[in-house]
Amino acid sequence: MKNYKNDILNKICYTELVYERINKKLNSEFSKMGIEKKLFDIITETNEINFQKTGKNIYVTNSERNIRIIQFLKN
């Protein structure tokens, strides 16, 4: 089984649209650094069994934080 957690943590990148969508979805005004830290922390603490690849997307589900992150992974 492929380790998607390491792939995501090593290749993660953000666009302005990503920051805007996260703040809009959460009705917040987090800084770029704040968003990156929160996502990094969530991905790091989430058990590998909660990473599911479907097509080009990897779904990271963290029940403790009640969050699901969808990550597009480029090769």
Side-chain angles (χ1 to χ4, degrees):
M1 181 174 184
K2 187 157 172 63
N3 188 335
Y4 295 114
K5 181 189 281 194
N6 286 338
D7 284 349
I8 291 171
L9 292 173
N10 290 327
K11 296 179 182 180
I12 198 164
C13 64
Y14 306 91
T15 64
E16 289 299 319
L17 186 58
V18 170
Y19 298 118
E20 291 172 16
R21 285 181 175 171
I22 290 171
N23 276 322
K24 182 178 180 182
K25 181 80 172 172
L26 298 176
N27 195 22
S28 63
E29 293 186 23
F30 291 115
S31 68
K32 292 177 183 179
M33 188 179 295
I35 290 171
E36 291 173 16
K37 179 167 179 8
K38 286 181 187 305
L39 289 174
F40 186 87
D41 291 346
I42 291 167
I43 293 167
T44 299
E45 73 185 30
T46 302
N47 190 310
E48 181 71 28
I49 63 169
N50 295 311
F51 286 65
Q52 179 183 2
K53 186 170 189 324
T54 304
K56 292 183 178 181
N57 294 328
I58 298 173
Y59 297 86
V60 180
T61 305
N62 187 309
S63 300
E64 292 79 25
R65 290 199 184 215
N66 194 29
I67 190 168
R68 185 174 188 200
I69 300 168
I70 302 168
Q71 180 68 43
F72 174 78
L73 189 61
K74 287 184 175 181
N75 293 329

